[in-house]
Amino acid sequence: MRLYGVTGWKNAGKTGLMERLVSEISARGLRVSTVKHAHHDTDIDQPGRDSHRHREAGAREVMLATPHRWALMHELRGADEPPLAELLQRLSPVDLVLVEGYKGAPHPKIEAHRQETGKPLLATRNDTIRAVAADSAVETTLPCFDLDDTAAIADFILREVGA
């Protein structure tokens, strides 16, 4: 499975870039899936819903199925968060998996960078970052792209993964 990441500091434009890349690469005829890592507690379920009640009752996994989508929620119940490699095994085969977050994981990444965050480039300390997509000039020896030049960023990623 081909894998490429988008990383960066909070409010650096990661999610917007991910959204545009999924749209761009899908429009080119490739099948794309995504993995989004969150450091905070996030719940896609709603209190009071039947599926939420099942989880609250102690179910380890709850699958919610509708005519339009299905979702599998897995409760860790005190267990460690699984590593990215283990989570990727649960995905159906696709042409490319784009990963948002997981700064320290070993897969190749592009860093989204916005000057307004006031944060330094992660690329100076992370050798898994292969390029930077920024809203202003940055000092790096890595390939640089305008944060909004989705087509050029997609071209770069697809060359990197051999697609």
Side-chain angles (χ1 to χ4, degrees):
M1 191 174 323
R2 294 178 177 110
L3 179 68
Y4 213 88
V6 174
T7 194
W9 297 105
K10 183 178 180 179
N11 296 321
K14 299 180 300 291
T15 301
L17 179 56
M18 285 279 292
E19 181 180 10
R20 293 189 311 273
L21 286 170
V22 169
S23 181
E24 174 74 24
I25 295 169
S26 295
R28 295 180 186 195
L30 284 94
R31 297 169 302 149
V32 180
S33 289
T34 66
V35 175
K36 162 68 174 142
H37 187 255
H39 291 285
H40 53 280
D41 188 23
T42 301
D43 196 344
I44 61 170
D45 209 359
Q46 304 287 322
R49 297 283 194 194
D50 293 351
S51 54
H52 188 269
R53 292 171 60 190
H54 296 182
R55 288 177 38 230
E56 290 296 307
R60 176 68 130 202
E61 291 188 329
V62 175
M63 182 173 289
L64 177 62
T66 74
H68 302 284
R69 71 192 54 84
W70 63 268
L72 177 63
M73 293 169 279
H74 180 93
E75 292 294 320
L76 294 175
R77 305 265 183 235
D80 290 337
E81 178 182 354
L84 177 59
E86 187 177 319
L87 296 172
L88 291 171
Q89 293 173 10
R90 294 180 173 267
L91 291 177
S92 298
V94 292
D95 300 308
L96 177 65
V97 177
L98 290 173
V99 177
E100 182 177 343
Y102 287 99
K103 289 180 184 90
H107 62 276
K109 303 167 193 71
I110 188 164
E111 179 178 353
H113 181 80
R114 281 203 176 118
Q115 185 176 22
E116 70 188 40
T117 67
K119 299 282 191 177
L121 283 177
L122 293 168
T124 61
R125 301 186 316 268
N126 184 332
D127 61 2
T128 64
I129 296 175
R130 306 282 170 77
V132 176
D135 66 352
S136 61
V138 294
E139 196 168 318
T140 182
T141 58
L142 296 174
C144 288
F145 299 92
D146 183 292
L147 186 56
D148 294 323
D149 192 351
T150 308
I153 296 167
D155 289 342
F156 176 81
I157 290 171
L158 294 175
R159 274 194 311 274
E160 283 271 294
V161 300

